[in-house]
Amino acid sequence: MKDLFQKKLLFIILISVLILNVAVLGGSRLILLDSFLQLEQQAVEENLLRVANAVRSDAENLGVLCRDWAFWDDSYRFIQDSNEAYVKSNLGDDTLVELNLNALLYFNSEGDPVFGKAMDLQEESRVPVPQDLLRYFKQRRDLWPPQTSFSRQDGLLMFEQVPMLLSFRPILTSD
């Protein structure tokens, strides 16, 4: 009888220890998993914020660059007369590479392309102007003619192949 009692007691103790272990492990797993999920979510949010800030900074820099070139008397004359000397002295392949521009497009006030150039910045070689980009401006007839000297389009466009930062300004004299 004593032997049976010891076996039952041992069985109860083993079951109790097992249930206690399951409860502790299960509780720990839930607490740790929740903590890890929160840490992972926080890390993702921080990384997304970094990316958003980097994109915003690049867009602002591109907007400043675009404004500088758009409000330049030489650029204005180029749109009027398609001066080849302007292209040679200002729009060489090295210019786009130095400015970190994949594409540079000039349009007249009717929205017709006057000049376009695109570069593969990794290879530092000229590539065809992306047709998606030309199509975008052709479809956006609301941009032509620009309403004021402050008319602008800045942002991130998603094309089929890649996302592209865009900055658009009317070409005016420095006045």
Side-chain angles (χ1 to χ4, degrees):
M1 185 91 154
K2 188 177 177 187
D3 199 31
L4 183 62
F5 177 75
Q6 285 178 341
K7 285 183 181 181
K8 281 185 181 181
L9 184 62
L10 183 61
F11 181 73
I12 291 172
I13 291 173
L14 285 175
I15 294 295
S16 298
V17 168
L18 183 63
I19 290 173
L20 183 63
N21 279 339
V22 167
V24 168
L25 288 174
S28 298
R29 184 172 186 275
L30 287 176
I31 291 170
L32 290 174
L33 184 61
D34 187 45
S35 296
F36 281 123
L37 287 175
Q38 286 177 352
L39 286 172
E40 186 176 4
Q41 182 175 355
Q42 183 180 358
V44 167
E45 288 173 1
E46 287 174 2
N47 286 335
L48 285 174
L49 187 59
R50 279 190 202 111
V51 168
N53 287 336
V55 168
R56 187 179 7 261
S57 176
D58 286 350
E60 287 172 5
N61 291 339
L62 182 61
V64 168
L65 179 68
C66 185
R67 186 191 67 228
D68 288 348
W69 281 64
F71 298 164
W72 184 25
D73 294 337
D74 290 349
S75 295
Y76 185 82
R77 263 192 310 282
F78 172 66
I79 293 300
Q80 305 305 314
D81 63 11
S82 299
N83 181 349
E84 191 61 35
Y86 178 86
V87 174
K88 285 183 181 178
S89 65
N90 298 301
L91 302 175
D93 293 351
D94 58 328
T95 301
L96 271 72
V97 171
E98 288 297 317
L99 295 174
N100 201 30
L101 297 176
N102 292 96
L104 179 65
L105 303 172
Y106 283 80
F107 297 90
N108 62 23
S109 59
E110 289 81 39
D112 301 319
V114 173
F115 175 84
K117 182 182 271 192
M119 297 292 292
D120 177 334
L121 295 176
Q122 267 77 34
E123 298 294 322
E124 295 187 3
S125 62
R126 193 182 299 191
V127 295
V129 174
Q131 291 303 307
D132 289 342
L133 188 59
L134 291 171
R135 227 180 341 270
Y136 170 79
F137 282 106
K138 190 172 189 174
Q139 292 170 349
R140 291 293 310 270
R141 296 317 275 170
D142 60 309
L143 298 173
W144 315 109
Q147 303 304 309
T148 69
S149 62
F150 299 105
S151 295
R152 59 188 278 185
Q153 287 285 332
D154 293 312
L156 184 64
L157 287 179
M158 193 64 182
F159 292 118
E160 289 181 24
Q161 298 168 350
V162 291
M164 185 178 285
L165 279 176
L166 168 83
S167 186
F168 165 86
R169 301 285 190 286
I171 295 180
L172 303 169
T173 63
S174 58
D175 296 336

